[in-house]
Each structure stands twice: as C-alpha cells, then as structure tokens.
C-alpha cells in the first residue's frame, strides 16, 4: 500500500485541482489531502479568504473519487508529523511549489514529487473571470472595460 499526501487550499475546486489529485492518486494506492484551514490560508499563505469555508472544501474533496482521506492543514510545520502519523511514502505538490523551499526538506522522510501545473486555470482566474462576467451586459459586444471603481459600483447590491 503506497500512501500519497498532498496539501492545498482547493478553493472553488477546478480542473487544475482535480487533475493534480487524479495524477497524485495514480502514484499510489491511498491519497491523503491536507486542506488548508481558512485561517492558515489567509494568515500564513496570504491568500484572500477562501470562497468556500474549510468544512465545505473538505466535504467537496471527500466527494472526489481519487481522494481517500481529508485532513486539515493549519501550520507549515505539521508536515513531518503528518508523514509519520499517516505512514506517507510520497508527498506530491504542483510544480509551482518547486524552489519554494517549503517541501525539499521532506526528502529526508519520504519521496517528494512535483507534478506539472495545469495551465490556464486557477482559483484567482475564476474570480477575475466571474467579476468580468458580472459587469458585462448580456449580448453586448465586449466594450473597453470601465475603471474598476465604476465596475464595482455597478454591481447589484445583494444581501
Ligand atoms: N494546481 C495545479 N494546477 C493549477 C492550479 C493548482 O496543479 N492550474 C495545484 C497546486 O500546485 C497545488 C494544488 O493544485 O499543488 C492545490 O492548489 P491550491 O489550492 O492553490 O493550494 P496552494 O495554495 O498551492 O497550497 O502547504 C502547501 C499549501 O497548502 C499549498
């Protein structure tokens, strides 16, 4: 039984995430996903607050057939404990983490594999595209985008 571990926020779950999970699972028999808590994503990774809260992101990851177990990621320092506790053989991350200095030290504890990122897809891109969509009048030819302030004040006031 080859046990794989990967880390991420996995917010607004998209093909880039699923593609990584599919390839990570194919490297072993059991895939553990450590999902970043909302606090860790914002405070430690300087990401904006996830659209989906931690428990919702965990529920969505558990629904992915490549995923066998979902745990929480609340600190940078927990990785060696995770590897020991879950008897991990391989940690897998997307290639954007190569050279980040956040994973290389794990080679003393298990194998470490970087998988190429899926191009053209990210949570931030989805957010940007949806914002652009929201301010585009259906059917109208794409005009010069109005200044962001104008765009934001044009958004319908919803609860
Ligand atoms: N990913 C990918 N291709 C994309 C987008 C993301 O392969 N187009 C990969 C990332 O490289 C990462 C995983 O999907 O391995 C999850 O990505 P994020 O949710 O953005 O998580 P991240 O902020 O990279 O968190 O301690 C490590 C962090 O928790 C990693």
């Amino acid at each position: 039984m080859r046990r794989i571990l990967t880390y991420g926020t996995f917010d607004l779950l998209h093909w880039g995430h699923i593609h990584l999970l599919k390839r990570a699972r194919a490297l072993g028999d059991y895939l553990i996903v450590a999902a970043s808590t909302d606090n860790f994503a914002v405070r430690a990774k300087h990401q904006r607050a996830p659209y989906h809260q931690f428990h919702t992101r965990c529920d969505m990851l558990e629904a992915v057939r490549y995923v066998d177990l979902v745990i929480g990621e609340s600190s940078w320092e927990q990785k060696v404990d995770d590897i020991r506790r879950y008897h991990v053989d391989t940690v897998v991350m997307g290639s954007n983490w190569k050279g980040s200095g956040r994973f290389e030290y794990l080679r003393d504890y298990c194998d470490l594999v970087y998988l190429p990122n899926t191009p053209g897809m990210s949570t931030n891109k989805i957010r940007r595209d949806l914002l652009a969509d929201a301010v585009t009048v259906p059917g109208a030819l794409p005009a010069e985008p109005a200044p962001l302030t104008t765009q934001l004040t044009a958004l319908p006031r919803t609860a």
Side-chain angles (χ1 to χ4, degrees):
M1 161 83 84
R2 231 182 137 66
R3 300 163 75 90
I4 313 294
L5 172 62
T6 193
Y7 294 83
T9 306
F10 298 102
D11 191 28
L12 296 177
L13 205 61
H14 55 69
W15 170 239
H17 295 143
I18 302 289
H19 192 209
L20 180 105
L21 296 172
K22 181 178 183 180
R23 290 173 292 157
R25 180 63 172 73
L27 294 174
D29 311 289
Y30 192 83
L31 176 60
I32 304 160
V33 178
S36 309
T37 60
D38 300 327
N39 192 28
F40 181 67
V42 173
R43 305 225 179 295
K45 297 199 291 184
H46 313 299
Q47 296 174 341
R48 65 177 71 213
Y51 181 84
H52 291 302
Q53 291 186 336
F54 174 66
H55 62 84
T56 304
R57 289 180 282 114
C58 291
D59 290 348
M60 292 172 75
L61 286 165
E62 280 164 2
V64 175
R65 67 187 175 90
Y66 309 117
V67 176
D68 299 288
L69 177 68
V70 178
I71 61 174
E73 178 191 27
S74 53
S75 81
W76 290 114
E77 295 73 32
Q78 69 178 68
K79 296 186 173 70
V80 174
D81 288 347
D82 294 342
I83 292 164
R84 290 187 172 135
R85 180 173 301 126
Y86 298 100
H87 310 289
V88 169
D89 300 288
T90 308
V91 167
V92 172
M93 291 302 298
S95 52
N96 59 305
W97 283 94
K98 212 171 190 170
S100 68
R102 291 284 185 192
F103 290 91
E104 287 305 316
Y105 72 100
L106 298 179
R107 292 190 192 280
D108 295 342
Y109 306 91
C110 65
D111 294 341
L112 175 62
V113 173
Y114 295 105
L115 295 173
N117 287 130
T118 303
M121 177 55 66
S122 76
T123 302
N124 285 335
K125 182 178 183 310
I126 292 172
R127 284 172 179 259
R128 286 194 303 273
D129 291 352
L130 289 175
L131 178 60
D133 269 2
V135 294
T136 307
V137 180
L141 287 176
E144 270 306 302
L148 189 56
T149 45
T150 318
Q151 291 183 37
L152 292 174
T153 48
L155 283 175
R157 293 242 166 278
T158 56

